[in-house]
Every structure is written in C-alpha cells, then in structure tokens.
Amino acid sequence: MTAMLRVGVLASGSGTNLAALIAAQQDGRLGAEIAAVICNVPGARALQRAREAGIPAILVDHKAHPSRETFEAEIDRHLQAHGVGLVVLAGFMRILSPWFVSRWQGRIVNVHPALLPSFPGLHAARQALQAGVRITGCTVHLVDEGTDTGPILAQAAVPVLPGDDEASLHARVQKEEHRLLPWVVRLFAEGRIRVEEGRPILDLPEAAWAQASLRNPEPGEP
Ligand code: GAR
C-alpha cells in the first residue's frame, strides 16, 4: 500500500477552508492527511482550529522576519520536516516568491473566491458585485509566479442574487469552496491530477466533473 499524501495547509485568517479539509479528513473523504498547518498571523482562528483537531499548528509570523526569503525558508523547512507532498493555500494572504513556487512546482494549490481569470487579487466578491456579473464562483488552481494566474484545476459556479452585499455573496461562494477544495485534494491524493506542458490533466469521468462544477438546485430553491 502506498503512503497517504501528506498535506501542508497555509492560512492567514479564520480558516473555514481548513475546517472543511479537517472535516473531510475526519470522515474519510479527503484521502489524505493534514500533516501541518502553518499560519503567518498570530492568534488567527486557523491555528486554533488546527490545535483543536490535534494537527501541528505552526506560527511563522512574517513580521518577525527580516525578509521574505527568510520567512519562506522557515515555512519550507516546516513543510519538509512534516513530509508534506502537497501545499494548500487556504486563505493564505502573502504572495509567494518564484523561489518558493519553483521548489513546490505542481504541488501547490490555491483557492480563490471568483471564477478566475476574472477578479484576481483582493476583495473578489466586491469586484464581482461592482462588475455586475450574474454568476461568480470559486476556483482551485495550481500556483505559479503570478497572482491567481496558475493553471485552473476546478471551478464551481455561484449565482449573484439581487439583494447580495459583499458579505452575503462571499459567504455563498465560501460554501462552494468548502466543497471544492477537499474534492481537489482527494484528486491529488488519488494521483488523478498530472501536469503536462503546464496544462493540468484530470483523470475523471465527465459526469463527476460536471457535478463538481455546477450546482444542481433542488426544485423550488431560489
Ligand atoms: C477564502 O474565501 C479564500 O478563497 C480567500 O480567502 C478566504 C479565506 O477564508 N482567498 C483569497 O482571496 C486569495 N486570493 P478562510 O480563512 O475562512 O478559509
């Protein structure tokens, strides 16, 4: 039997995506083990969630580092020490350097609260409202040197409703993130994602694919 994929989660904030990963691990849907959670913000809820789940919770405070190089080198050391094979950025709000990205090439994923390439960067839900789109969503993608530019692995669509404000729209998008991110981690764990010439290839039946991307509302659901 091959060893289970070990996942290192990088987070900066409330860690609801981390909570979704933990829940998926606990009920066997993740197919992987969360080996460590690394957070750059002291006191972040993500650290507490990791501790509560018995997962090593490591603070690497960027403010305590003289440079991005030393900050990232410390993160890298922790990931190596925990035998991590896949890095998941779950609300990690620091830009990673080309050095870090190339070290983990093809083995870092990020979750973003918009249908990339629309609305990269900060405040994606606000950007979607300002643009007046009727459909937005979330994206899980491989990380490259750009900001939210790497090859797209999976997306899920979310309608923008007439009464939405930034908070209500982001909350609805996050519900989909919490479904999509563990699903992608599982694909990694099962070896169903490979990258050829920069393009990800997912080994997946078409029906499973469509179901992962599109919500199928119940009759009567708004
Ligand atoms: C998530 O919605 C994630 O998509 C977003 O931060 C939130 C973190 O929430 N990330 C970005 O905007 C990155 N560009 P969480 O801490 O509750 O998981």
Side-chain angles (χ1 to χ4, degrees):
M1 207 178 114
T2 50
M4 199 174 248
L5 177 70
R6 292 174 67 77
V7 175
V9 178
L10 270 53
S12 301
S14 65
T16 62
N17 278 287
L18 170 64
L21 291 167
I22 292 171
Q25 176 181 313
Q26 286 170 347
D27 66 20
R29 279 178 298 121
L30 197 62
E33 183 180 347
I34 305 170
V37 172
I38 299 173
C39 181
N40 65 309
V41 178
R45 180 91 171 85
L47 283 168
Q48 192 189 335
R49 289 186 200 271
R51 268 185 237 109
E52 283 166 8
I55 298 166
I58 302 159
L59 173 67
V60 182
D61 184 353
H62 60 280
K63 291 189 179 146
H65 274 275
S67 68
R68 184 160 75 167
E69 286 71 25
T70 66
F71 167 64
E72 291 185 350
E74 188 185 345
I75 292 177
D76 186 66
R77 268 199 308 280
H78 289 298
L79 293 172
Q80 305 286 355
H82 285 87
V84 165
L86 176 71
V87 179
V88 175
L89 308 184
F92 184 66
M93 303 312 264
R94 307 297 297 174
I95 306 275
L96 293 166
S97 72
W99 173 79
F100 188 92
V101 170
S102 72
R103 260 179 99 71
W104 291 92
Q105 188 94 48
R107 295 185 298 149
I108 320 180
V109 298
N110 179 45
V111 59
H112 182 76
L115 293 176
L116 292 170
S118 292
F119 317 131
L122 295 175
H123 309 303
R126 189 188 304 172
Q127 294 184 55
L129 286 172
Q130 280 167 355
V133 295
R134 292 286 174 264
I135 295 173
T136 184
C138 57
T139 302
V140 179
H141 65 96
L142 287 169
V143 173
D144 67 7
E145 285 79 8
T147 302
D148 302 324
T149 53
I152 291 168
L153 297 172
Q155 294 186 305
V158 173
V160 180
L161 301 180
D164 266 332
D165 59 17
E166 188 178 351
S168 66
L169 179 56
H170 190 207
R172 200 166 332 103
V173 168
Q174 280 201 309
K175 262 181 85 173
E176 293 300 306
E177 293 183 339
H178 300 161
R179 196 173 59 76
L180 203 64
L181 185 59
W183 183 75
V184 170
V185 170
R186 187 182 186 108
L187 292 183
F188 260 98
E190 292 176 346
R192 290 175 186 267
I193 297 180
R194 63 180 202 280
V195 183
E196 280 179 12
E197 291 168 7
R199 288 178 66 87
I201 298 174
L202 278 71
D203 170 17
L204 200 70
E206 206 169 295
W209 183 248
Q211 214 187 343
S213 306
L214 297 173
R215 300 173 75 248
N216 296 314
E218 296 298 322
E221 193 184 320

